[in-house]
Amino acid sequence: MAAKLILSMEGVVLKEYVLNKERMTIGRKPHNDVVIDNLAVSGEHAVIVTILNDSFLEDLDSTNGVVVNGVAIKKHFLQPNDVIEIGKYKLKYMNDQHGQQVPAEDFERTMVLRAPVSKPHLPPAAAVEAGGRTSAASHEATGAYAAQAPQPIAPPPIQPAPAVPPQPGAAIPLAALQILSGPNAGRELDLVKNLTTLGKPGVQVAVLTRRPHGYFITHVEGSNYPSLNGKVLNEQPHQLSNHDIIELAGVKMEFYLKD
């Protein structure tokens, strides 16, 4: 059974919503997937992104905020029986599936990418442009870049060994992304978290997930989908192979296994 939300107010259940889409918005306006017609609720208040058996909630800069289990949040990985509070309304998250739940500490904040510019000699600080509310989070997510800036990045092998899909029960090797274009070219990001978001919020965002059977990329936001080895992806998760080339938000990057 798919995960679902149970909407209630003052203990009275009003409606149930099955999380059968990757991206479901919550808000006052009628185009939302979960409509709460109340002035305390913003037009687009929050969004829930579901990837395989995992869902995460994000506050869309709402006026009155989002509370989960009594704590105000901006982004939160949902666990079974979590209670989301929006104004006087409550949404209880139910998930009977037994997939691996990603712990909240394994959420990597969005790394904001900027497309290549005409002047290639910009200082490294200009390579990451967070913008608006995501600036602090994006700076933290890309802290690895700043730390590695003085160090030269070794190029990938010219003739890499063919990718071998991980065997059941085998340990998943560590992987990384190396930026190939734009002012950030040559730098790398180790994929040490179970989930890493990449892109430009409001424009194009994808999620990389590290799972027992490999690494996957999934589109979560934006009208344009990322491409993999020159082929535009769809809404389904796609497993990554060693030295795949990803293009996202106008930036090319290479996925590679470190072992």
Side-chain angles (χ1 to χ4, degrees), residues 15 17 21 23-37 41-47 60:
K15 196 169 183 179
Y17 297 89
K21 294 168 59 178
R23 189 175 192 274
M24 295 184 66
T25 57
I26 304 169
R28 189 180 70 254
K29 293 182 179 179
H31 67 265
N32 289 283
D33 300 289
V34 178
V35 179
I36 303 178
D37 189 10
V41 182
S42 297
E44 284 192 3
H45 200 102
V47 63
L60 295 177

Side-chain angles (χ1 to χ4, degrees), residues 55-71:
S55 299
F56 65 90
L57 169 72
E58 180 176 1
D59 180 7
L60 295 177
D61 273 346
S62 63
T63 301
N64 294 315
V66 178
V67 172
V68 177
N69 302 330
V71 178

Side-chain angles (χ1 to χ4, degrees), residues 216-228:
F216 290 79
I217 182 171
T218 307
H219 171 82
V220 296
E221 184 178 349
S223 57
N224 295 322
Y225 287 70
S227 65
L228 184 65

